[in-house]
Amino acid sequence: EAQVTQNPRYLITVTGKKLTVTCSQNMNHEYMSWYRQDPGLGLRQIYYSMNVEVTDKGDVPEGYKVSRKEKRNFPLILESPSPNQTSLYFCASSFRDINSPLHFGNGTRLTVT
Amino acid sequence: ILNVEQSPQSLHVQEGDSTNFTCSFPSSNFYALHWYRWETAKSPEALFVMTLNGDEKKKGRISATLNTKEGYSYLYIKGSQPEDSATYLCAFVPGAGSYQLTFGKGTKLSVIP
């Protein structure tokens, strides 16, 4: 089944403890991206990747890192999480570029205390 | 950060009513406009990706139109059903070669049986 898989679905952590949220797609998509959803603010793009080893900042990249070492995986790294990064995170992918519809993962709800 | 506005914020309609809502975006530089349907506790699902001025797309009872010169897109739902209850998101891509996607805050539709 074609899908985007995020893990974990839920995560509670403490300020400053490094964490990684994984994202994997099995559709051979070139484009992958991360979003965060906060009440009243809509989905905001954190980082995106056009292909392997090609990444760029979205609208809210501060406090996050990403890597794209292989086509299927696009992990989101929080080196030193802070409470303002408590949010619902979505990974998404599309076939080639932003003319193609995005396929979203199931989301990761992160709480930083 | 680009300004993508959706109106209304929320909408309640009776089962069987037809409805429509609006997505406004900057008209000066356009590449693509996406529509997504987001049900509670699920992930956003793609409805349409529109790229040409005057585009009209249809999927069952849902259709969308695009006016890039004036910077708006309409989403129409004909004969609303309770299962149409969801938040409808639009997302704007500026300029050819851009890989950034800016989402509106969505229109939350509730269909009353």
Side-chain angles (χ1 to χ4, degrees):
Chain A
E1 182 193 346
Q3 59 186 1
V4 179
T5 304
Q6 278 180 245
N7 280 298
R9 292 291 307 275
Y10 301 92
L11 180 58
I12 302 173
T13 190
V14 296
T15 299
K17 187 175 180 184
K18 181 179 177 179
L19 66 92
T20 299
V21 184
T22 63
C23 175
S24 181
Q25 49 91 7
N26 62 0
M27 296 169 279
N28 202 34
H29 283 174
E30 291 186 359
Y31 181 89
M32 297 185 76
S33 56
W34 278 101
Y35 301 86
R36 61 178 288 174
Q37 163 69 28
D38 301 292
L41 291 179
L43 281 167
R44 293 181 294 166
Q45 192 173 44
I46 303 170
Y47 268 95
Y48 57 93
S49 170
M50 295 77 83
N51 214 324
V52 175
E53 301 291 5
V54 185
T55 64
D56 207 348
K57 296 176 182 178
D59 292 324
V60 288
E62 296 78 20
Y64 304 95
K65 282 174 57 175
V66 292
S67 70
R68 188 95 182 268
K69 295 191 173 108
E70 4 166 43
K71 201 169 188 179
R72 63 184 293 127
N73 295 325
F74 190 46
L76 181 70
I77 303 154
L78 285 72
E79 294 269 1
S80 183
S82 62
N84 65 12
Q85 293 178 298
T86 292
S87 189
L88 176 61
Y89 291 87
F90 284 101
C91 177
S93 70
S94 69
F95 175 59
R96 180 163 298 159
D97 58 20
I98 212 64
N99 256 356
S100 308
L102 289 172
H103 298 253
F104 282 84
N106 285 334
T108 295
R109 188 165 289 283
L110 172 66
T111 302
V112 184
T113 61
Chain B
I1 295 179
L2 298 166
N3 198 23
V4 180
E5 300 281 345
Q6 289 190 249
S7 62
Q9 262 190 314
S10 64
L11 193 54
H12 290 77
V13 300
Q14 290 290 139
E15 182 175 352
D17 285 353
S18 293
T19 187
N20 66 85
F21 16 96
T22 307
C23 173
S24 301
F25 51 84
S27 58
S28 55
N29 198 17
F30 175 88
Y31 188 57
L33 194 282
H34 296 222
W35 280 102
Y36 293 86
R37 180 171 178 273
W38 191 3
E39 288 182 73
T40 303
K42 293 190 177 179
S43 306
E45 289 181 348
L47 289 171
F48 309 113
V49 178
M50 309 175 82
T51 56
L52 297 174
N53 185 43
D55 243 357
E56 184 167 340
K57 299 219 172 181
K58 191 172 180 183
K59 191 174 187 175
R61 292 179 292 99
I62 304 177
S63 60
T65 61
L66 178 67
N67 183 324
T68 61
K69 295 191 187 313
E70 295 182 40
Y72 65 83
S73 176
Y74 292 139
L75 191 79
Y76 301 91
I77 302 179
K78 186 177 176 182
S80 303
Q81 299 297 308
E83 57 266 29
D84 295 328
S85 296
T87 296
Y88 291 83
L89 302 172
C90 68
F92 170 69
V93 184
S98 173
Y99 288 87
Q100 281 196 264
L101 197 69
T102 301
F103 280 85
K105 294 178 185 176
T107 292
K108 185 170 182 178
L109 174 67
S110 300
V111 182
I112 304 158

